[in-house]
Amino acid sequence: MTGDRSKNKLPRRRVLAVGFAGHQGKEYLPIVRESADIVGGVDPAPAASSLADEWGFPHYDVLGEALRKVDFDAAVVTVPHSEHFPVCTELLAHGSHVIKEKPFAVTEQEARQLVHLAQRADRSVLTLLQRNFDPVFQFAQENLARIGEPYWFSYDYHFNLAHPTTGWRASREQAMGGVLLDMGYHLIDVLSGLFPEPAPEPPRVHSAFVHHCQEMRDRRLEDLVSLMFSYPSTGLAGSLRVSRHNYEKTEHLCVLGTEGALNVVPEAAVLHSVGGLPLERRTGKGPRTDAVRSMIAHHLGHLDDRCYRQAHLQRQLAVVRTIDGIYRDRLRERNELADRCA
Ligand SMILES: NC(=O)c1ccc[n+]([C@@H]2O[C@H](COP(=O)([O-])OP(=O)(O)OC[C@H]3O[C@@H](n4cnc5c(N)ncnc54)[C@H](O)[C@@H]3O)[C@@H](O)[C@H]2O)c1
């Protein structure tokens, strides 16, 4: 993928890195630099200035200053969840493309506003979701039709973190949701790609939210979520579980169809016959950075592609609508319970 732009002789894009001194921002710096020029960085963290010096780009504490002083084509945004919407709207108002971390948005209303602003500015807002560039998930997408009519899926994704959540993820105001919004966003995006919903019929979802410790319960930031999906238009159903404090780190997607099954773990995807005979397999070659490298180069190469942009926006809108719907249902149930107890 990195070669695409040079083959087509497109100029290297100029990138502003927003939130570059954090965990994800630092991981992306060397990868972005392979296919673009980093012309500035914004981050108020104390370590940001010396990091920018090391990388040889100018540093700004606030976005507004960078917008006044730096010419760039696209911003790569890796900030806490509460900052996504204000940062992205400011960038779009300025006329820049945005390549951003998940979530695309937290609420459906904000997602619709972002789509509107992107279309009005004729700019892209592309979300970084590495599974779409991972060979094992690509195999699942390419071979889904071979299992006939899918009727059931189960999807598990767990971390085995030993300590309670800290930092902005432990703050309701900054995280704006628990593990569903954080880790679960990736999975709901994968499901939206495999089983795109016909517009008026989103999946129905029943949820259980569970907390590892009292502090997270008090802040309404779930550490474990279990979801049961049903898709009224096709009869498909499935379950999804995501958590932070499991006994082992694991990811496993299984889809059962009328004529076969797909089984996906990070190391390999396998197509099975009904009854379990393995028919074809793709192994996950290379480290995670290969998928990240492909994703970033691909997004940078498609900033002006309006069809790509439109399809991406519609899918992210569907993902945000599903997650926001689950949170709103929980809130309604909570309020009804409080009313009954009052
Ligand atoms: N794709 C993945 O697998 C993955 C993994 C981890 C995090 N993420 C996502 O990346 C984003 C950042 O998470 P993180 O773990 O890197 O957090 P982090 O706290 O390590 O980094 C966030 C950085 O943003 C900076 N920042 C805060 N407000 C800012 C603002 N207004 N302008 C510029 N910089 C600002 C902070 O100073 C910090 O350096 C989140 O959206 C998270 O969901 C994705």
Side-chain angles (χ1 to χ4, degrees), residues 164-178 209 211 213-223 244 327 331 334:
T165 304
T166 55
W168 62 263
R169 284 182 177 80
S171 150
R172 169 97 214 145
E173 290 67 37
Q174 289 182 288
M176 305 179 89
F209 280 26
H211 302 86
C213 59
Q214 189 60 39
E215 287 82 0
M216 294 296 270
R217 183 187 302 278
D218 293 343
R219 294 170 201 158
R220 290 191 293 116
L221 294 171
E222 72 286 353
D223 295 299
R244 288 191 172 124
Y327 280 127
L331 191 62
R334 211 180 125 86

Side-chain angles (χ1 to χ4, degrees), residues 17-28 42-46 48 60-63 77-81 83-84 87 100-103 128-131 157 168-169 174 181-182 186 288 295:
V18 183
F20 69 93
H23 165 85
Q24 206 53 40
K26 277 195 280 206
E27 183 187 325
Y28 289 155
V42 184
D43 198 310
Y60 304 93
D61 279 327
V62 290
L63 180 59
V77 177
T78 54
V79 294
H81 294 169
E83 296 299 306
H84 279 235
V87 163
K100 71 186 292 294
E101 257 306 331
K102 51 82 188 165
L128 292 161
L129 296 155
Q130 63 268 23
R131 284 164 187 72
Y157 182 34
W168 62 263
R169 284 182 177 80
Q174 289 182 288
L181 183 63
D182 194 16
H186 289 288
R288 181 186 114 99
M295 167 176 73

Side-chain angles (χ1 to χ4, degrees), residues 112 165 255:
R112 288 192 183 283
T165 304
V255 187

Side-chain angles (χ1 to χ4, degrees), residues 116-128:
H116 171 73
L117 292 174
Q119 284 168 341
R120 200 174 66 183
D122 191 18
R123 289 294 178 269
S124 285
V125 181
L126 301 174
T127 315
L128 292 161

